[in-house]
Structures are given as C-alpha cells and as structure tokens.
Amino acid sequence: MLHSENFDEKILDKHVIDTIKEDFKSFNMQMDVHFAHVIMLYEQNIITKQEAGSILGALFEIENDGPESIPIKEGLTDLYSNLEEFIVNKIGIEVGGKLHIARSRNDMNITIERMFTRDSLIKYVDALIYLMETLLVEAEKHKNTIIPGYTHHSQHAQPTTLGHFYLNFFHTFKRDIERAEASYKHSNICSMGGAALTTTGFPINRQRVSELLAFIKPVEHSMDATSSLDFQYESASAMAIFINNVGRMIESLLLWNIREVGLVRLALKYCSYSTIMPQKRNPVALETLRYSGEWTYGALSTMFNTLKAFTPGNGREPGFVTSLYMEISEKIIPSIYLLEGIVRTLEVNKERGLEITKEGFSTMTELADELVRSKNLSFYAAKKIVGKLVVIAHDEKIPCEKIDSNLIKRAAREALNIEVELEEEKIKTAIDPEKNIQERDIMGGPAVT
C-alpha cells in the first residue's frame, strides 16, 4: 500500500501501482537527477537564478517530506509525472514547467536505472567481500580438516581439506567481484542529455550533469543513451553467475549434511522443524539459496526475451526489464549474507571427515604414484595394478587400511602378469590421507593453499 492520502488503488491498474512502488525505491536518485538538471539549466543560462531557486525550493520540500507527499493522480502512471504536476501546481506552470526543459522521461529514467544499478553493484560487492573474509577465516580454521574430494558429483576422488574447499570458492567469488567491476564500469555513464532520442536544441552541458551525478562520463550517443539496457543485462548476468557458483557450493553442503555422511550440520537457526517428525532438522536455508538461483535464471531469461527484438528508442518494455533487475539484486544480495552466516556457523565433524576419507579408497592415486616412483613403472601400468587391487578389495570386503604388499603382488599378477613388491612402510604412507595432502604441495594444492 502506498501511503498517500490522494492515492486510490481502486482507480489504478496493477502495473501503475507496481511502477510507482518501484519509483519509491529509487526516489532519492530521482531527486538527485532533478537537482543536477536544474543546476545545469541555471549554469547554462537557460533558466534564471530566481526560477532555479523556486524549482529547487519545491524539490527540497518534496525530498524532505518523502515520496508519500506527492499526490498520485489517475492517468499519471509514474512518480515523476505526478511530481512534475505537483511542482507545477505549487509554483505555477511558467516556472514549474521549466523543470522539463531539454530532457525527457526517457533519458531521466535510464539515468536513474544506471544509478540504481551501480548502487546495487556496490552493495553486492560489499556483501561478497564480507562472505570472502569469512571464507578466509574458516579456511584457516579448517586447513587440516581432512575430507574427501569428489568428482562426478558423489564419487570419492582424492583426499583434500575443508580449508581447500573453502578457498576454491574464495577464488571463484573473486572472479564474481571482477565481473561486477566490469558491470559497474558500463553502468557508471550518464544518459542525461539524450532527451527523448536525439538530444535537444537547448545549449545544455551533458558533462556537467554527469559530474554532478558522480558518473565517469556521459553516454556518447543519444540513441544509445536512451534505449540501451545492456548494462542491466550484464549486471544481472554477473549475479546469476554468482548464484550459480553458490549452487555448486551448497550442493556439497547438502550432501555432507545427510545423516549417512554426517560430515557437517547446519546451525539450528538455519534449519526448520517438521510438524510431524520430531527428529527432523531441515536445511531450509540451503534450499532457499537454491531457489534464489532457480528464480534468478528465469528472471534473467525473461529480461533477454523482453528486449530481444526491441527497436532503439524507449517504450514500456524496458520498465519491465528494470523491474526484474531490481528483484534480482534484492534477492541475490541478502542471499550472500545468508550464505556467510551458514558458513560461519557450520558444525563440522572433523573425525567423521577423516573416517570417510579413509573408507573411500581416495588415496589410490598416491599409491599408483608410489609404484611409479619406487618401481619405475609407467603410470598406465601402475593404474592398472591399483585398479585391479580396488576391485579385489571391494569384492572381498578388504578395507583400505588393510592393503599390504601381498595384495599388491596379487593385483600385479592378475592385472599385468608381472611381479611387483612394494615395501609395507611405503604402502602405509601412500594410503594415509594426511600424508597424501602433505604431498600435494604444488601451487594450488591443499598443502599450500
């Protein structure tokens, strides 16, 4: 409900109501555009000092009283149209009507959208930095917390650490920040002065308005200035990539949270209870994050589809695209803080992590490597032998820690019909998850990151 005594939702259709509600979100930005435009008109001697003073006085009053103070009239479909009507009624058409000299709703709206977009990107990056700081803290805390590394979604691959896992996403989110920086650069140019489509015959100063609104420069071409929303596609795409990266992270957390795995458990405040099953601790915060991604992909697709054949110039459709961008940013930024809280409070079972790593035969790559080093075998031959060893161990229910020289001899005979004997101490070292991680001291490995 919009809080204006003159606002009657019964006489306005939904899209008008939604448009004005969105305008409320960017009210301060709209006011800044008005102030900058009036100052420029005065400096260019297009309006007098007295006229500028009267218009600015009315604008300051509106800014102080807030958008709710503007009467909303039937037939005026956005906040600006109602604001302009209010100013004309307040100070007269001869002076108040000059607010609209040398501009259009087209260049004004897209300038506000650029301001909203760059502001949202700043908030987005601030949130990402906060999340990444937590990942660094938790990575240090868990640099020796051994867990299985997985490939093919759920298959034990090689031992790693939870700290190594966290740093993976630290670096991933760093690229998300870089994408946001590029998006900010393309958003931080000013559309004012493009007017409706082809600029204006008045001697305006586009550079001055750009400076007053803290843009880096004006959009050079007027048609581009008033009709291009690719900066919002780019910003929304950057956020969609981020939440897709989050989806990959939380899939692991969901798997680790399964009782049969028991590696982690979400803090209670990020869970819900069952109305019928007393034992349940539902990881609803992770499910919320997944939905944020699914919804964002759909919204981004709609943004592209809405303007895929839209000719240069303005119209109603760009407003729908901006509405979707606003919703995306308002969904993604809180999601970052939600993920930060989940990571910071995650309950980790270190003993279970080591246990399931030992059980999963994830040290077999190192065993094959040791055969290459100690017995001068090709890696292909060593892999064949260890592969056969794993099959035998599985069929005969031999646990990983029971692998010995006799089992390697048998596997070598059955796989390649050769004799291979490896010292027990080297076998023990090779199948030790902690020693495996210590061996991975190449740049980027779990022993050094």
Side-chain angles (χ1 to χ4, degrees), residues 353-363 400-401 431-433:
L354 180 59
E355 178 185 5
I356 59 179
T357 303
K358 288 180 176 178
E359 291 174 353
F361 285 82
S362 61
T363 54
C400 184
E401 62 268 23
I431 64 175
D432 183 332

Side-chain angles (χ1 to χ4, degrees), residues 131 135 165-166 168-170 173 243-256 286 339 342-343 346:
L131 169 61
L135 286 172
F165 174 88
Y166 282 148
N168 168 40
F169 287 98
F170 174 88
F173 297 152
I243 201 67
N244 186 269
N245 290 331
V246 170
R248 297 177 56 230
M249 181 179 184
I250 63 175
E251 181 68 10
S252 293
L253 299 183
L254 282 166
L255 288 170
W256 298 347
L286 295 177
L339 179 58
I342 290 170
V343 171
L346 192 67

Side-chain angles (χ1 to χ4, degrees), residues 51-194:
E51 289 169 335
S54 295
I55 297 170
L56 289 172
L59 288 170
F60 279 124
E61 184 177 329
I62 291 170
E63 182 183 49
N64 184 64
D65 294 341
E68 296 87 354
S69 67
I70 301 169
I72 307 300
K73 294 187 176 181
E74 185 176 9
L76 300 180
T77 60
D78 57 30
L79 186 64
Y80 167 68
S81 300
N82 287 280
L83 179 146
E84 186 177 51
E85 181 86 359
F86 180 58
I87 288 178
V88 165
N89 290 335
K90 185 175 184 61
I91 62 176
I93 194 169
E94 290 303 320
V95 176
K98 293 187 177 183
L99 175 61
H100 203 63
I101 290 175
R103 73 171 180 179
S104 164
R105 190 165 48 186
N106 295 356
D107 62 343
M108 186 192 73
N109 278 349
I110 203 164
T111 298
I112 295 168
E113 288 155 11
R114 288 181 177 279
M115 294 170 74
F116 183 92
T117 302
R118 70 181 182 181
D119 183 66
S120 68
L121 287 169
I122 291 170
K123 293 175 181 174
Y124 169 68
V125 170
D126 281 347
L128 274 174
I129 292 171
Y130 185 60
L131 169 61
M132 291 168 67
E133 288 173 346
T134 294
L135 286 172
L136 284 179
V137 170
E138 294 301 313
E140 175 65 22
K141 185 188 301 183
H142 291 289
K143 63 183 180 182
N144 296 317
T145 301
I146 297 173
I147 62 171
Y150 294 89
T151 60
H152 293 271
H153 187 267
S154 55
Q155 300 304 299
H156 280 219
Q158 296 176 326
T160 188
T161 67
L162 184 56
H164 193 234
F165 174 88
Y166 282 148
L167 287 178
N168 168 40
F169 287 98
F170 174 88
H171 289 284
T172 301
F173 297 152
K174 180 175 179 289
R175 291 192 297 276
D176 287 314
I177 287 181
E178 291 167 357
R179 278 183 279 271
E181 289 172 341
S183 301
Y184 186 89
K185 177 183 177 181
H186 296 146
S187 301
N188 194 28
I189 49 179
C190 185
S191 293
M192 287 301 292

Side-chain angles (χ1 to χ4, degrees), residues 360-378:
F361 285 82
S362 61
T363 54
M364 293 301 97
T365 303
E366 180 59 24
L367 183 58
D369 287 347
E370 187 56 50
L371 287 173
V372 172
R373 289 190 293 262
S374 297
K375 300 302 173 183
N376 199 29
L377 294 173
S378 71

